[in-house]
Amino acid sequence: MRQRLSSEPDRYRGRRRVPTPPRSRYAAVVTTAFVGAGVVALGAGALPDAKAVSPSALADLEKAAATSEDVSARSADAQQAPASRDHRDDGLASTLAAAPDVWRLPLENYNFTSPYGMKWNKLHAGIDLAAPEGTPYNAVHAGTVTKAGWFGGYGYCVIVQHSDGTESIYGHSSSLLVSEGQEVKAGDPLGLVGNTGHSYGSHLHLELHVNGKPTDPIPYLRDRKVDIQLKVDDPYADVAAS
């Protein structure tokens, strides 16, 4: 730093010098502390004294909190209600399927190709429902599987005996999904449509034996709210009527 010569005029003589702002970290901390203390003091002055709060106001606050909790609980119950109803519906469907008065269609999609009656100079003791090979077919009524295997001209066959002694026979399967002695409900899968045994094309052969004798499935099932020709069944009709 160059020293001022004695011959040079003093440029600062007679002027008031402005003090240099503090640059040290200590000074900055002290300044911040003073400012913060002032803000806290102002905030404390703005807050109400807890002792001065009206008891009725506190009661209103507690009541509002209780109401909010009640609304939340009812909302949670409402969200769980649909699942509970679905569970009840599933249980109802399962119970109806096992009921002695419920009958179902053996297939969902099929073409009715051959009725009960004389065919090629012999009795065609059932009906034929054409469907692609591998299509699942189902029990028309609850009962016990008494036959599940090869059965002569029926090919791979399932026979279900029902509680009143009636038997339903399902022929020409490509594969079986049940075993002898198994309990089934109306609508349970029994096997897959095929072309085994004395068969000409993929189809399900369905027979009903009542009192040990073949019976035309069309009118028999129609009396039980199952229409093979219209492809309609109504397993909940009795429940709806009650």
Side-chain angles (χ1 to χ4, degrees), residues 140-173:
V140 296
H141 193 51
T144 304
V145 176
T146 58
K147 179 69 178 181
W150 189 268
F151 194 44
Y154 292 93
Y156 287 108
C157 175
V158 174
I159 300 177
V160 177
Q161 186 173 50
H162 310 296
S163 59
D164 62 355
T166 301
E167 291 181 318
S168 54
I169 303 173
Y170 311 80
H172 309 310
S173 308

Side-chain angles (χ1 to χ4, degrees), residues 92 96 99 101-102 225 234-242:
L92 176 62
L96 288 173
D101 57 346
V102 174
K225 303 179 179 66
D234 189 4
Y236 305 105
D238 293 335
V239 176
S242 62

Side-chain angles (χ1 to χ4, degrees), residues 204-222:
L204 173 68
H205 175 83
L206 174 65
E207 286 187 23
L208 290 177
H209 289 194
V210 180
N211 298 323
K213 298 179 180 181
T215 301
D216 188 348
I218 298 296
Y220 187 89
L221 292 175
R222 189 180 292 129

Side-chain angles (χ1 to χ4, degrees), residues 41-164:
L42 289 174
L47 293 174
D49 187 356
K51 297 178 182 178
V53 177
S54 170
S56 61
L58 289 175
D60 291 340
L61 289 174
E62 292 176 355
K63 183 178 180 180
T67 302
S68 176
E69 291 177 359
D70 183 58
V71 170
S72 298
R74 284 183 292 180
S75 176
D77 292 341
Q79 292 177 354
Q80 294 176 357
S84 299
R85 286 194 296 269
D86 291 343
H87 178 71
R88 289 196 297 270
D89 291 343
D90 291 343
L92 176 62
S94 178
T95 301
L96 288 173
D101 57 346
V102 174
W103 294 73
R104 302 296 305 271
L105 288 167
L107 286 168
E108 292 185 1
N109 297 301
Y110 58 85
N111 291 318
F112 178 73
T113 57
S114 184
Y116 175 93
M118 297 303 295
K119 184 177 181 180
W120 299 324
N121 297 321
K122 59 184 300 185
L123 177 65
H124 182 241
I127 57 175
D128 291 343
L129 307 176
E133 185 167 348
T135 302
Y137 64 83
N138 309 314
V140 296
H141 193 51
T144 304
V145 176
T146 58
K147 179 69 178 181
W150 189 268
F151 194 44
Y154 292 93
Y156 287 108
C157 175
V158 174
I159 300 177
V160 177
Q161 186 173 50
H162 310 296
S163 59
D164 62 355

Side-chain angles (χ1 to χ4, degrees), residues 19-29 31:
T20 304
R23 297 179 180 177
S24 67
R25 181 177 301 176
Y26 172 78
V29 171
T31 302

